[in-house]
Amino acid sequence: MSKEQPKAPESQSRRQFLKYSGTAIGGAIVGGVIGGAIAANRKNNTAKTPEGQTAETPTKNYSQALMYFTQDQFDTTEAASERIFPKDDLGPGAKELGVAYFIDHQLASQWGNNGKEYMIGPFIKGEPTQGNYPSIKRHDLFTHGLKALQDTSQSKYQKAFQELAPEQQDELLGLFEKGEQVTVTGGTAQQFFNLLKNFTIEGVYSDPLYGGNKDMQGWKMRNYPGNQMSYTEIMAKDQFVKIEPASLHDHMTAH
């Protein structure tokens, strides 16, 4: 049974509430397209400066490649996730953290395709305590939700969603959150919004191997150590020990 989350003070940003509520790390799903992500090698190349000194030049991040989205779908997702987890004085937002790439990789995976789930009807409406069994695959629901978001934006403002002012984007996302005045093929507006919200938080705090949490900045904002091999050296210490976070990728390249 999930615990009720604390109510955020009005003076806090939405992201500050998520940061301290404890919901983000606990709800993160670590799964997806590992094969393409493993190809990302974050070792640095070296180059010669005009003075002949050696300088580090970062390589390209090959995990930032689209596997499912069209460019327009990616841009819409990037803009929507940024409104759910916006950049502020606490740190980077969803766009800077690469959340849209995380979502793209998840939708391209077996999880996005409901590959290991029974998807044949009949689909009977569940009781309020049960919920409804999904009759549409996650990647299809997300695709239809993005289309509905763009259609609603064009109808209301005659602009693409990513071209709207932040206040207008929040207004449209609010309609989806409440399920008002919006129709999503194969599902509901609330189902799409909840999927988008969960995806966003997971992308902020999942291992960078899966496309989001760029440079482990999501973890660093929470002083979360990531995937450490051992804590034996600090277990007996009374004081708090701040550890530089480590990704699964770090352990892979170390062996």
Side-chain angles (χ1 to χ4, degrees):
M1 180 180 296
S2 61
K3 295 182 180 180
E4 182 178 355
Q5 300 301 325
K7 184 177 180 181
E10 292 182 359
S11 61
Q12 291 181 330
S13 67
R14 285 170 294 171
R15 208 264 302 283
Q16 188 174 17
F17 172 58
L18 291 169
K19 178 179 178 181
Y20 292 110
S21 66
T23 60
I25 293 291
I29 291 179
V30 183
V33 184
I34 299 180
I38 290 178
N41 190 330
R42 302 192 181 202
K43 292 183 177 179
N44 291 332
N45 291 331
T46 58
K48 296 293 183 179
T49 64
E51 294 79 13
Q53 298 177 343
T54 300
E56 292 186 350
T57 56
T59 60
K60 294 181 180 179
N61 186 349
Y62 291 102
S63 70
Q64 292 191 345
L66 298 185
M67 301 179 181
Y68 179 78
F69 285 142
T70 65
Q71 187 61 51
D72 182 69
Q73 290 170 339
F74 175 84
D75 293 342
T76 306
T77 301
E78 191 173 60
S81 62
E82 179 68 16
R83 296 313 306 151
I84 292 176
F85 198 91
K87 178 179 181 178
D88 60 17
D89 57 338
L90 296 174
K95 180 177 180 178
E96 189 174 342
L97 290 170
V99 166
Y101 287 105
F102 169 84
I103 297 176
D104 171 81
H105 297 176
Q106 292 295 304
L107 294 177
S109 72
Q110 284 294 300
W111 191 84
N113 193 43
N114 297 67
K116 295 184 178 181
E117 299 178 27
Y118 184 82
M119 295 293 293
I120 301 176
F123 300 99
I124 301 173
K125 183 176 178 61
E127 297 296 328
T129 56
Q130 296 175 317
N132 295 321
Y133 194 82
S135 59
I136 182 173
K137 295 180 178 180
R138 294 184 185 93
H139 63 192
D140 289 331
L141 173 61
F142 204 89
T143 299
H144 294 319
L146 290 177
K147 184 179 185 304
L149 188 60
Q150 285 290 16
D151 289 346
T152 306
S153 179
Q154 290 289 350
S155 175
K156 190 173 181 64
Y157 295 110
Q158 293 75 54
K159 290 183 179 180
F161 178 82
Q162 56 267 34
E163 298 173 353
L164 299 179
E167 296 77 12
Q168 295 171 325
Q169 293 176 337
D170 289 347
E171 180 185 358
L172 293 189
L173 289 173
L175 296 179
F176 280 75
E177 182 179 19
K178 298 174 183 177
E180 297 177 351
Q181 310 170 32
V182 182
T183 300
V184 175
T185 302
T188 68
Q190 286 180 318
Q191 287 175 330
F192 164 70
F193 178 84
N194 289 335
L195 188 59
L196 170 65
K197 179 181 66 175
N198 292 339
F199 263 152
T200 298
I201 304 306
E202 290 162 9
V204 169
Y205 294 111
S206 67
D207 193 287
L209 185 68
Y210 301 103
N213 190 12
K214 185 178 179 181
D215 298 329
M216 295 179 280
Q217 294 180 80
W219 288 348
K220 292 175 181 177
M221 285 188 287
R222 293 176 60 91
N223 289 324
Y224 180 68
N227 295 291
Q228 301 290 330
M229 296 298 290
S230 173
Y231 296 95
T232 54
E233 295 181 359
I234 65 171
M235 287 175 60
K237 294 184 178 181
D238 295 329
Q239 71 274 23
F240 174 78
V241 178
K242 186 173 181 180
I243 305 174
E244 188 68 19
S247 166
L248 291 171
H249 180 271
D250 297 327
H251 301 306
M252 292 166 54
T253 56
H255 298 283

